[in-house]
Amino acid sequence: MSETGPLSQAVFARNARVIAGGAVSLNRLVEPRIAFRRGRGARIWDVDGREYVDYHGAFGPHILGHNDPDINAAVVAVLQQETSLFGSGTTEMEGELAELLVAAVPSMERVQLTNSGSEATYHALRIARAHTGREHIVVIQGGYNGWHNEVAVNLMTPLEELGPRVSPGEYPLVPLSAGIPHGVFDRVHAVNFNDAPSVEYVLRRHPVAAVLLEPVLQNIGVLPPQPGYLEELRALCTRHGTILIFDEVKTGFRAAFGGYQSVCGVRPDLTVLGKAVANGFPLAVIGGRADLMACFHATEPQQRVMIAGTYNGHPVSVAAAIATLRKLRAGGDPMYHTMAAHTQALAAGLCAQAAEFSLPCVVSTCGSAFCQYFMDHVPVDWHDLARHHDFALDTAFRRALIELGVYHFPVHCKQGSVSAAHTAEHVQWTVDCFGAALRSVRASRGAP
Ligand code: PMP
């Protein structure tokens, strides 16, 4: 099978003439270049008619699988009822969704709705600043919190640019984008993951409004917090009057129905959700302590944080989110256990296959999220990962899987996602493909 089918090639060629860069997110410009057409359950199809079992899930949203019939029915119903985007007042559906969210996520007393995770983290930072009157923020090396100026820094930063691991201390900021005014970084501090002393180091030196982090780093795979780390951050933030924000855009409704905070028991002040909340429809949430969320309607102009957006609470997305949360809630523990069991089976299967080839391999999981690392332990932070993981093998392995019909996003360290639509048969077939993919990669590298 050639890497890219002829129809995919034609679509890319045509789109490149009119779409800057040829795709609508540069993160999607990966090899092999595939134009997709259809998705159903755990499977997706490209324009050449090739079928894949999908573990990318569009970077995580499709927790129930593609085009879940119940979610689609809810969306169709909303359109048939001539529900519209009114742009004035509120709707019954918005309230229903907010009630579901507040009931599901332990620290959420009040919520607001946006269209994307990036917007939601933006608002969370504004609230933290308005409430504390401070401007500095702490972010985590290897974390991702969106594309806006202050957080688009230090993801998979080359170690040559980053320098050695610093603890306690902070890293030089390495932007993910051009066009960010330099002054922005005077008040942003990037520190190690799993390193509370470095957070304390910054909190002691600067007036910090917020510590913003993914509680499990899921944009460089799946890096779990070490025992006690999140508890220490909670205590430090409380002691310093700093707002603790959990970015649960990836872990929300995926680590567990109540997000990772319901697993670890640590309560952030603010939480950001996105992705799985609406099973692939565009919706994100910012929520948390009522006194903080009150900034959105404060009477004092110095405290009042603007929230606006033509499409906030779009009825299609709200209907999708209500249906998704209802379905996840009804599925309850058995549904989450099944997804986690399938994820564990994939992990065990891959490790067993790698062992046959004497390749060091660990698979880190969090609920239905997984990532393989070709190294002998689950990394604790970006430096550990960057030093020990075989990146070239990772990318080659993913591309070999795609050739076989398993769509695991072909960029090293990108998390895979299992959905409720994946079955034991999909998993067993995928494990067989893991073995075949490793064999073909080894053969192409000249190993027997
Ligand atoms: N936070 C996290 C943890 C994410 O993974 C992402 C997206 N990958 C975002 C924020 C930004 O969300 P969006 O792409 O919807 O703006």
Side-chain angles (χ1 to χ4, degrees):
M1 194 194 269
S2 75
E3 279 225 324
T4 300
L7 297 181
S8 276
Q9 285 179 33
V11 173
F12 266 90
R14 182 174 174 184
N15 290 3
R17 286 189 224 119
V18 280
I19 298 177
V24 296
S25 156
L26 292 197
N27 291 340
R28 301 180 194 175
L29 273 187
V30 293
E31 298 292 341
R33 299 216 162 174
I34 299 175
F36 290 99
R37 180 170 283 160
R38 212 182 129 217
R40 187 186 183 83
R43 294 175 302 159
I44 52 177
W45 288 265
D46 68 18
V47 290
D48 289 282
R50 292 179 184 165
E51 178 180 325
Y52 308 83
V53 175
D54 182 26
Y55 293 97
H56 179 43
F59 287 109
H62 295 288
I63 188 146
L64 295 168
H66 293 267
N67 280 306
D68 179 274
D70 296 322
I71 312 309
N72 281 4
V75 167
V76 168
V78 128
L79 297 174
Q80 280 172 345
Q81 288 154 14
E82 298 187 340
T83 307
S84 190
L85 175 69
F86 302 108
S88 181
T90 186
T91 66
E92 291 153 304
M93 276 177 22
E94 288 166 7
E96 185 180 351
L97 175 57
E99 283 168 7
L100 282 166
L101 290 162
V102 166
V105 183
S107 69
M108 280 196 167
E109 296 170 355
R110 298 284 187 282
V111 298
Q112 265 294 353
L113 307 180
T114 66
N115 307 293
S116 70
S118 298
E119 288 170 74
T121 55
Y122 197 105
H123 288 307
L125 292 175
R126 272 202 178 155
I127 289 206
R129 285 178 166 139
H131 184 81
T132 60
R134 306 174 186 172
E135 294 205 344
H136 291 243
I137 62 166
V138 173
V139 296
I140 301 293
Q141 175 63 48
Y144 182 71
N145 310 109
W147 45 253
H148 51 88
N149 282 352
E150 291 175 293
V151 297
V153 292
N154 294 50
L155 185 56
M156 296 199 207
T157 322
L159 292 190
E160 313 84 77
E161 287 179 56
L162 193 61
R165 184 194 268 125
V166 177
S167 179
E170 57 182 294
Y171 291 119
L173 291 174
V174 181
L176 301 177
S177 172
I180 301 178
H182 193 70
V184 163
F185 295 133
D186 296 346
R187 42 183 199 257
V188 179
H189 307 270
V191 301
N192 233 5
F193 186 57
N194 274 324
D195 181 0
S198 286
V199 173
E200 182 166 26
Y201 174 93
V202 178
L203 295 192
R204 281 179 184 278
R205 281 165 181 75
H206 302 280
V208 176
V211 173
L212 168 63
L213 84 159
E214 298 175 72
V216 183
L217 286 195
Q218 286 190 198
N219 280 280
I220 50 172
V222 179
L223 263 66
Q226 299 290 297
Y229 171 61
L230 296 174
E231 287 81 353
E232 275 186 74
L233 293 192
R234 176 64 280 174
L236 279 171
C237 285
T238 303
R239 198 172 325 133
H240 288 265
T242 296
I243 304 302
L244 179 62
I245 308 172
F246 276 4
D247 180 342
E248 295 227 45
V249 166
K250 280 216 157 166
T251 49
F253 302 104
R254 189 170 276 285
F257 185 62
Y260 193 72
Q261 58 194 265
S262 72
V263 176
C264 69
V266 175
R267 301 286 176 263
D269 301 303
L270 293 173
T271 300
V272 174
L273 301 165
K275 300 205 190 251
V277 68
N279 201 51
F281 286 89
L283 189 127
V285 179
I286 162 175
R289 275 169 37 195
D291 63 319
L292 293 175
M293 294 295 288
C295 287
F296 283 133
H297 51 94
T299 44
E300 287 292 305
Q302 312 89 287
Q303 287 238 312
R304 189 162 60 237
V305 174
M306 178 179 177
I307 183 152
T310 302
Y311 297 112
N312 287 2
H314 192 284
V316 163
S317 297
V318 171
I322 291 172
T324 302
L325 298 193
R326 280 205 197 131
K327 189 159 180 172
L328 290 173
R329 191 180 58 184
D333 288 346
M335 187 184 251
Y336 278 93
H337 282 149
T338 304
M339 285 192 279
H342 287 158
T343 310
Q344 291 301 331
L346 285 173
L350 176 51
C351 289
Q353 301 281 359
E356 292 208 1
F357 296 103
S358 305
L359 284 170
C361 177
V362 287
V363 181
S364 180
T365 66
C366 177
S368 52
F370 68 93
C371 190
Q372 73 283 353
Y373 298 104
F374 293 107
M375 54 191 276
D376 65 8
H377 60 279
V378 173
V380 293
D381 60 19
W382 170 241
H383 277 80
D384 189 15
L385 197 175
R387 284 207 193 97
H388 296 110
H389 178 48
D390 188 336
F391 286 77
L393 174 58
D394 189 0
T395 306
F397 171 62
R398 291 163 184 260
R399 289 192 183 146
L401 282 173
I402 291 172
E403 290 266 309
L404 294 165
V406 173
Y407 200 81
H408 193 15
F409 196 65
V411 172
H412 51 246
C413 305
K414 284 297 165 194
Q415 172 211 307
S417 302
V418 171
S419 77
H422 286 80
T423 62
E425 289 70 37
H426 290 130
V427 168
Q428 185 49 55
W429 183 77
T430 303
V431 169
D432 293 343
C433 290
F434 284 158
L438 286 177
R439 196 169 306 114
S440 96
V441 172
R442 296 250 307 163
S444 68
R445 289 178 152 195

